[in-house]
Amino acid sequence: MQKSKTTWMPGLCAIGATAWSLTMAAHAASFTGTVLNAEGQPLAGALVTVFNEAKDRKETVYTDQAGRYAIRTPFSGHLTVRARSHKFDDARKELDAQADQVQTIDFKMTPFANAQLLSDSLTASAHLSKVQWPDAQTRTTFISQCNYCHQIGNALTRTPKEVSAWETTIARMEGYGALLTKKEGKTIAEELHKGLDGNAVQAMQKYVASDELSRAKVIEWHVGDALSFVHDTDVGDDEHLYGTDEGHDILWELDRRTGQITQHHLPDIDLPVGGLFAGMQLPIGVFTGKHGPHSMAQGQDGRIWITNALSSKLMSFDPKTKAFKVYGIDESALYLHTIRIDRQGIVWFTAAVSNKVGRFDPKTEKFTMIQLPHGGFMKGVVDVMFPTILRASSKLWPGKNVPVKTSPHKWTQGRLMFNLPYGIDINPTDGSVWYAKLLSNKIGRIDPKTLEITEFDTPLGGPRRPRFDKNGILWIPAFDDSALLRFDPATAQFESYKLPLLAANEYETPYALNVHPQTGEIWITSNMSDRVLRFNPATKTFVAYPSPTRVTWLRDMAFTKDGQVCSSSSNLPAYGIEDARDAFFCLDPTGGERDRQTIEQQASAKPSLVRRK
């Protein structure tokens, strides 16, 4: 039986400018001021964050070119206001919220006292730049296989280790899905030992504070616990955020207006912890569930459809009745991944380990599993053999990694022996279904009527979770090559755009992206550098938004009706994040500007309400 539990969080997130102004006017805590360096010069692009009293919610704006900021929050009680800027130590002030008053708080930032403190503040991408890979292929293998679910180079993962300790870590990661040959594993262990030596990074990072940055606002709500793994977040028709906790078999629900968070426990199933993957050395302690809910999409009837990666079950959730329904699939479909719904209401999803795409008709409750091209005899053998051993080992050799130890990839071509269909999306112009094969560097088209398949090689590696724009152009994050790909199905032509890096010797991991339905701009996760990227196809330019939280690892992106882009920050494990918990994450491109205008109107109408701290 499904169980629900509600947790109350103070605050509210406005839905639309009018609702924001009306609702916040009565009890908003407002702050303005400047962020300057020790010489009194303005710091553009500094992050000013207000934490609520419980420290489970925070809101952030960015300073303009004159170092000015303005922020309105719904918080009450004793608050913390923090200023953060590149190469400067954080500055904090504690104060009591004064409802309906604008409090002026200025910050004077001081540089870090020494090189080690500066180094500790840098993103994971800076620390990984110290590793000198012997060749481009090893570097690509490391990026592809060691950054699946978390950063490498953050405070949790850059601890100096002996080669043998790194080898133990890598062996454990193979139980999580890293596909390495014996030689690759040994080489990576040796290079991490040499590169992550604990010495300070000589940083070459450069931050660019654009005018667009000063207009934005970021809102974060903590969710789950230190061992949660809230994989994907989606925005429902009710404008609530829904998050799939793959580790704990929970669907989290956030009402952004009230801050209310509810947890819906998935129904139990007759499988061991880890589900059909119990034979692997899963991150037990983090993964305590059996289903492993992964990706979501809402259908025309309002039900939210969920892929369960560990149990290989499709599931629906009714937001009104809070009821789940489970649909069984042939066990040849393993690790159900990304899910999308076409205009006819047909549910499409990838089965990553089995190299298949699934089609499900909710009206007839009939599945059709589509075998994708193997790409060669040995890949075909692996497509069949690996899932077979995986299912058997979950019963016979739990936690022993037998599928990894017996797979031919360990001695031959490593990850290149696998296809791994990952992301999937529907072309709005003709209804065709497109998928990305992460490890084969291919995208493919499925005719929704004939199920005929056509595949294309991508010019860059690691196509992950692609999305179509309204004109039928497919945008693809190239995970292995720090790039964005544009593909035109009409001409079968690719264009590529390198992502902006903080330093030339770094790399980026664009896990997912989405296309804004009104502006057509592409929003991209930038997970090694704690940023979100925004790409304008017309001008072919990027805007970078630094995250207020160190160790930000975002997943699928979705948009609210008023244009916010939302995701889940879910580094694995969650305790590796600066706040030690996952979070719902929403970036409002104009929220900061709206706060500024409202505060200016408030101060102009009643100057006596402005107080300087």
Side-chain angles (χ1 to χ4, degrees), residues 68-85:
R68 299 170 300 191
Y69 76 92
I71 185 170
R72 286 169 62 80
T73 78
F75 304 152
S76 60
H78 190 73
L79 309 182
T80 301
V81 184
R82 182 192 71 194
R84 172 173 285 178
S85 187

Side-chain angles (χ1 to χ4, degrees), residues 598-610:
T598 303
I599 290 173
E600 288 175 352
Q601 292 170 2
Q602 183 180 359
S604 176
K606 295 184 178 181
S608 62
L609 296 181
V610 180

Side-chain angles (χ1 to χ4, degrees), residues 6-12 49-59 74-76 78-80 218-225 252 254 258-261 549 579-585:
T6 300
T7 303
W8 286 92
M9 298 174 62
L12 101 111
T49 300
V50 182
F51 297 80
N52 70 348
E53 189 169 41
K55 297 293 192 297
D56 57 8
R57 167 129 180 233
K58 57 187 179 183
E59 300 192 358
F75 304 152
S76 60
H78 190 73
L79 309 182
T80 301
V218 174
I219 306 170
E220 297 171 87
W221 300 260
H222 289 161
V223 61
D225 56 37
W252 296 95
L254 166 67
T258 64
Q260 176 184 340
I261 290 182
T549 304
D579 296 333
R581 290 176 66 187
D582 286 351
F584 287 116
F585 177 102

Side-chain angles (χ1 to χ4, degrees), residues 7 18 220 225 235 250 325 347 349-350 379 408 478 493 502 504:
T7 303
T18 302
E220 297 171 87
D225 56 37
V235 179
I250 293 173
K325 187 173 181 180
V347 178
F349 57 90
T350 51
K379 282 192 174 186
Q493 296 297 310
L502 292 177

Side-chain angles (χ1 to χ4, degrees), residues 347-393:
V347 178
W348 298 86
F349 57 90
T350 51
V353 173
S354 300
N355 191 28
K356 294 181 179 182
V357 164
R359 178 189 187 277
F360 177 74
D361 187 339
K363 295 179 180 178
T364 64
E365 298 189 353
K366 178 184 177 181
F367 285 96
T368 302
M369 297 306 300
I370 304 164
Q371 179 65 62
L372 302 180
H374 298 299
F377 175 75
M378 284 305 298
K379 282 192 174 186
V381 171
V382 171
D383 282 344
V384 174
M385 185 188 77
F386 196 86
T388 300
I389 298 176
L390 192 62
R391 290 194 301 271
S393 65

Side-chain angles (χ1 to χ4, degrees), residues 2 32 61 71 136 176 204 252 347-348 371 397 465 496 558 592:
Q2 165 241 329
T32 63
V61 294
I71 185 170
Y176 304 178
M204 295 179 285
W252 296 95
V347 178
W348 298 86
Q371 179 65 62
W397 309 287
R465 298 183 94 170
S496 63

